[in-house]
């Protein structure tokens, strides 16, 4: 039986978290024992229960530890002691030092890191990420192999990290089509005006997702016709700024912030079309979700490289 260790920071709302839960739901536990190590107890999506899936909650590092160079931090903190040797130890997060130190510190024959985003664009767009990258980039040389959510984000990672002498592969994110279609039929309190053209967006309210771009474009469209509405499913650190932007653009009666939803699909199936204006992605699950619901897609041109068939 294969022994697998997976290190992930949390299971909050997010594409990385959803991708991991989807994988855990599909593993054949008659062939594998999985130890999942988390640094937060919140579970938004709901973990599967199997005899060979063990969940371990670890204490997160103080925030300032993220600003230490990885080599120094690795000397200062201890990896978790599991008493087990693994065939593979996986840093599924790739952003947090806890996950890297865990995957590198346990006994394992092979150590793998998952890559979730176009880090080259992320590095260029987000100053906070530039600071963190320059602190943790020393960890990459210690891993044996890397897995990307889609092929198009491998080369940007290699250019930025300088890691070109290790094996790289891709395992596409996937979704449970039958489960999504079943959830889409569940009731919801959200109603829409069927006399309007109703758009939906799904994802965290953060800089990466480009909601500020979306609102500017939507305001331009609304100046052409008055029957457009936009429903945004998700929450995040940019919500207050985006709500203010809506007010400044005169969109308060046309844009609705619905917050995070455990079942967004029953809302999506009421809509006429899906919008995404992300600045960059990995392999976007929200576009896949919209395809399953059957919504027409309105996406910015840059997203073609991350989504096969878009």
């Amino acid at each position: 039986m294969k022994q697998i260790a997976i290190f992930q920071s949390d299971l909050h709302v997010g594409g990385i978290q959803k991708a991991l839960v989807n994988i855990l739901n599909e593993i054949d536990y008659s062939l594998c024992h999985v130890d999942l190590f988390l640094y937060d107890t919140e579970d938004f999506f709901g973990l599967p229960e199997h005899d060979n899936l063990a969940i371990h909650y670890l204490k997160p590092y103080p925030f300032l530890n993220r600003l230490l160079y990885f080599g120094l931090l690795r000397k200062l903190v201890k990896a978790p002691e599991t008493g087990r040797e693994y065939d593979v130890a996986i840093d599924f997060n790739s952003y947090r030092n806890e996950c890297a130190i865990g995957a590198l510190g346990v006994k394992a024959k092979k150590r793998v890191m998952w890559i979730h985003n176009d880090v080259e664009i992320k590095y260029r767009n987000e100053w906070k990420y530039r600071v963190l990258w320059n602190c943790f980039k020393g960890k990459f040389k210690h891993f044996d192999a890397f897995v990307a959510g889609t092929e198009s984000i491998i080369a940007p990672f290699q250019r930025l990290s300088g890691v070109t002498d290790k094996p790289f592969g891709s395992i596409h994110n996937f979704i449970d089509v039958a489960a999504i279609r079943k959830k889409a039929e569940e009731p919801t309190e959200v109603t829409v005006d069927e006399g309007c053209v109703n758009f939906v967006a799904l994802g965290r309210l953060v800089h990466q997702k480009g909601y500020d771009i979306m609102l500017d474009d939507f305001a331009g469209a609304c100046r052409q016709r008055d029957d457009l509405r936009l429903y945004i499913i998700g929450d995040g650190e940019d919500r207050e700024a985006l709500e203010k932007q809506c007010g400044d653009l005169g969109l308060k009666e046309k844009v609705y912030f619905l917050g995070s939803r455990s079942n967004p699909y029953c809302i999506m199936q009421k809509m006429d079309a899906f919008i995404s204006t992300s600045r960059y992605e990995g392999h976007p699950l929200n576009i896949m979700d919209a395809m399953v619901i059957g919504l027409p897609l309105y996406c910015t041109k840059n997203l073609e490289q991350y989504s096969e068939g878009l």
Side-chain angles (χ1 to χ4, degrees), residues 150-272:
T150 188
E151 292 84 352
S152 63
I153 64 176
I154 293 175
F157 177 83
Q158 290 176 323
R159 287 193 295 268
L160 188 61
S161 67
V163 177
T164 58
D165 59 341
K166 303 290 181 72
F168 281 81
S170 64
I171 298 176
H172 285 192
N173 292 336
F174 60 90
I175 54 180
D176 187 333
V177 172
I180 289 173
R181 289 177 175 165
K182 183 178 180 180
K183 289 182 178 180
E185 298 303 317
E186 293 179 1
T188 175
E189 85 285 1
V190 177
T191 59
V192 300
D193 185 344
E194 294 184 1
C196 294
V197 181
N198 299 296
F199 294 88
V200 65
L202 173 64
R204 292 175 301 122
L205 306 188
V206 295
H207 181 264
Q208 172 188 345
K209 301 302 181 181
Y211 286 107
D212 54 323
I213 300 170
M214 184 184 299
L215 293 177
D216 282 339
D217 289 347
F218 194 70
C222 288
R223 288 192 289 271
Q224 303 300 315
R225 52 188 292 173
D226 194 50
D227 63 342
L228 305 181
R229 301 292 183 269
L230 172 60
Y231 295 79
I232 298 175
I233 304 173
D235 217 332
E237 60 192 46
D238 288 355
R239 178 164 182 165
E240 184 177 348
L242 293 169
E243 289 179 333
K244 181 179 183 303
Q245 184 181 355
C246 274
D248 294 342
L249 292 170
L251 295 176
K252 281 192 173 181
E253 303 302 318
K254 298 179 183 297
V255 176
Y256 305 91
F257 291 87
L258 303 181
S260 296
R261 301 283 178 134
S262 58
N263 179 8
Y265 313 114
C266 57
I267 301 172
M268 294 172 72
Q269 64 90 23
K270 292 177 175 288
M271 303 297 168
D272 296 302

Side-chain angles (χ1 to χ4, degrees), residues 267-282:
I267 301 172
M268 294 172 72
Q269 64 90 23
K270 292 177 175 288
M271 303 297 168
D272 296 302
F274 171 85
I275 303 180
S276 179
T277 55
S278 290
R279 289 179 164 88
Y280 59 90
E281 282 290 351

Side-chain angles (χ1 to χ4, degrees), residues 30-82:
S30 69
L31 302 176
C32 304
H33 174 90
V34 178
D35 281 333
L36 174 62
F37 297 91
L38 297 167
Y39 295 87
D40 190 295
T41 58
E42 181 180 338
D43 178 9
F44 181 81
F45 295 103
L47 283 167
E49 294 184 4
H50 293 281
D51 291 340
N52 280 324
L53 172 61
I55 315 300
H56 308 272
Y57 295 102
L58 305 175
K59 185 177 180 180
Y61 294 179
F63 180 82
L64 289 178
N65 282 15
R66 301 183 193 182
L67 303 178
L68 296 178
Y69 286 111
F70 184 77
L72 174 60
L73 184 63
R74 198 177 179 197
K75 293 178 181 178
L76 294 176
V77 300
K78 291 184 178 180
E81 296 180 4
T82 66

Side-chain angles (χ1 to χ4, degrees), residues 92-143:
F92 196 81
N93 181 273
S94 79
Y95 296 116
R96 294 278 290 273
N97 284 329
E98 293 98 318
C99 299
I101 286 177
L104 294 173
V106 298
K107 293 181 179 179
K109 297 174 183 176
K110 191 172 186 178
R111 306 173 197 282
V112 175
M113 178 180 285
W114 233 262
I115 308 300
H116 297 280
N117 273 308
D118 188 328
V119 296
E120 204 170 37
I121 298 179
K122 187 175 180 69
Y123 185 90
R124 188 164 63 242
N125 274 265
E126 301 176 22
W127 70 266
K128 291 181 181 178
Y129 185 68
R130 289 197 293 274
V131 172
L132 293 176
W133 176 278
N134 288 303
C135 291
F136 67 49
K137 64 182 180 181
K139 66 188 178 184
F140 301 129
K141 63 185 179 184
H142 300 292
F143 284 83

